Amino acid sequence: MNKPLRQLLVALPTLMLLACSNPPETSVEPTEVSVDEAMTHPVKLRAGDTVKVSLDVNMSSGSSWQLANTLPSNLEFLGSEVTQPPGQNNLLGKVGLSEVQVFRFKVVSQGDVSLEFRKARPWEKQKPEKTFSIQLAVAAK
């Protein structure tokens, strides 16, 4: 048997397996999208993504951010934390210094939602010091 025919016979099973195999699924990895007070336009997300909302705060003044509306059914609250802004090393909790309050949400299904936050002293009944809202446009995976 000549050499080219032998090579073809050796390669043929591999080629047939490749031809019969399913194409790889185009999987889009979930991402974390960051939002801050400077954002004014709707944020586009996909189900499975995480959204991180970062809001400036000074916890030593007694003020903090709270979610002002009911949590939409297509979001899962993952938690919140207070962190240092970039460039401040080991100053968290110092009186008078600014901090960042971070809220994380996981998008569980499609649908447009609005997140509204208010900054106030929780024990006071007056108008909030500041408000922030962001529109989330959530598509399917």
Side-chain angles (χ1 to χ4, degrees):
M1 188 180 301
N2 64 16
K3 187 174 179 178
L5 185 58
R6 194 171 339 139
Q7 289 175 336
L8 180 60
L9 289 174
V10 170
L12 191 57
T14 304
L15 291 173
M16 289 181 72
L17 282 173
L18 287 174
C20 293
S21 68
N22 292 330
E25 292 183 22
T26 54
S27 172
V28 179
E29 291 294 318
T31 58
E32 181 173 82
V33 177
S34 293
V35 173
D36 63 24
E37 293 174 75
M39 296 189 80
T40 57
H41 60 282
V43 177
K44 295 182 180 183
L45 299 163
R46 292 180 318 272
D49 288 349
T50 302
V51 62
K52 177 177 94 171
V53 181
S54 301
L55 303 169
D56 292 332
V57 68
N58 182 335
M59 298 296 281
S60 66
S61 72
S63 295
S64 63
W65 288 96
Q66 302 294 322
L67 189 60
N69 54 347
T70 305
L71 183 65
S73 62
N74 61 336
L75 295 182
E76 176 186 343
F77 180 62
L78 299 177
S80 68
E81 64 183 346
V82 177
T83 64
Q84 298 173 318
Q88 287 187 8
N89 296 329
N90 300 320
L91 298 177
L92 188 62
K94 299 283 185 183
V95 175
L97 294 178
S98 65
E99 297 154 317
V100 178
Q101 193 168 357
V102 179
F103 296 85
R104 282 191 171 76
F105 303 90
K106 181 176 182 176
V107 180
V108 294
S109 62
Q110 69 183 23
D112 296 347
V113 297
S114 175
L115 285 178
E116 298 176 26
F117 297 87
R118 62 183 189 90
K119 180 180 174 186
R121 291 181 180 98
W123 62 88
E124 292 180 350
K125 300 293 180 200
Q126 57 191 343
K127 285 176 45 176
E129 297 171 33
K130 198 171 186 182
T131 59
F132 173 74
S133 65
I134 190 73
Q135 297 293 321
L136 306 177
V138 182
K141 280 188 178 184

